[in-house]
Amino acid sequence: MPPKFPQPTIRNPIVRMSLSHKAVAVASLIFATSASADITAYTSQASYLAAVGTSGVDTFDDLQIWNYPTPAPRQAGDFGYSVTAGPVVNEYWGATDNGSDWWMSTGYSHDQLAYSGFGEGIVGAGGFFFGSWYNGTSLPIDAIRVTATDSTGATLTWTIESPEVNSFVGFVSDTHLTSLTVWKDNIPDTFITVNDLHLSVAAVPEPATYGMLLGGLALLGAAARKRRRA
């Protein structure tokens, strides 16, 4: 049976501040978020890509309808990672509807796929998640669950109801993501299937953000010097 994951906790407090305090607040948040991380889920590929920087994609188009042992190294563009299937059958399979766009699937209907070994700078991960049949073609299923875990141990699980081939979910953390696990309830004769796995680094802040950050740091430094003199 796939492991049970805790329900996601929403940590998005509303902060009200005057314009003159914004610079100090931006600098303060740099230190505040280092103690606890937040993971955000996106159900639109465009929204996910807008939230991250450079992305690498593993299209799985090198696969065939064949079994591949795991754990196995894979590459999403410039970013390496590892895939593990199990816990019953430690192998993944190629699957497809048309013989041109290939997907990654499990070798046993109750198994899950776990993607891990992300590089230190990876803050985003996602892809298309759906079901397939014995012959590798897509198949409607009730739901697929995707869990992201970051370097602090925080997790966020997203359930895709009635997933289709174009059902996308991506996760972005304010710290390093360590794994992405895809699983479903024990529905027989259906297989977890993934296409176009994305791994992404953080977006580069705009120059205006840098200016606000530097201004906030300067104000914090001035306040610290004032306290020392007092």
Side-chain angles (χ1 to χ4, degrees):
M1 179 177 294
K4 300 296 183 183
F5 294 93
Q7 292 299 312
T9 300
I10 298 175
R11 290 174 292 186
N12 292 312
I14 299 175
V15 180
R16 294 180 174 85
M17 64 190 75
S18 67
L19 183 61
S20 61
H21 293 156
K22 280 187 177 180
V24 176
V26 170
S28 300
L29 284 173
I30 298 298
F31 303 101
T33 56
S34 62
S36 61
D38 286 318
I39 304 174
T40 303
Y42 296 84
T43 56
S44 160
Q45 184 185 26
S47 297
Y48 168 83
L49 292 175
V52 296
T54 302
S55 292
V57 180
D58 190 345
T59 64
F60 305 127
D61 287 343
D62 61 310
L63 303 182
Q64 297 291 320
I65 299 181
W66 193 254
N67 59 317
Y68 301 84
T70 70
R74 296 283 306 178
Q75 199 76 18
D78 293 331
F79 309 124
Y81 70 95
S82 177
V83 58
T84 303
V88 179
V89 179
N90 301 123
E91 62 187 30
Y92 66 82
W93 283 71
T96 184
D97 265 345
N98 53 29
S100 60
D101 183 19
W102 287 83
W103 318 316
M104 177 181 287
S105 185
T106 53
Y108 181 65
S109 63
H110 294 348
D111 278 347
Q112 61 186 20
L113 287 169
Y115 302 99
S116 60
F118 303 158
E120 192 64 33
I122 298 299
V123 300
F128 296 90
F129 306 97
F130 48 98
S132 61
W133 196 48
Y134 283 106
N135 64 358
T137 57
S138 60
L139 181 73
I141 62 174
D142 290 341
I144 276 184
R145 311 186 200 284
V146 189
T147 297
T149 304
D150 69 21
S151 57
T152 70
T155 64
L156 177 61
T157 296
W158 191 268
T159 299
I160 309 173
E161 303 287 351
S162 303
E164 300 178 349
V165 173
N166 61 351
S167 295
F168 180 91
V169 64
F171 300 87
V172 179
S173 174
D174 56 10
T175 186
H176 170 55
L177 280 180
T178 58
S179 67
L180 200 66
T181 304
V182 191
W183 53 286
K184 64 176 177 62
D185 295 331
N186 287 340
I187 304 170
D189 305 327
T190 60
F191 300 81
I192 288 169
T193 309
V194 181
N195 192 26
D196 291 354
L197 181 73
H198 291 59
L199 295 180
S200 310
V201 296
V204 177
E206 296 179 359
T209 303
Y210 276 125
M212 184 178 291
L213 174 59
L214 291 174
L217 292 174
L219 287 174
L220 288 176
R225 287 193 298 272
K226 184 177 180 180
R227 284 196 300 270
R228 284 199 296 268
R229 286 198 300 270

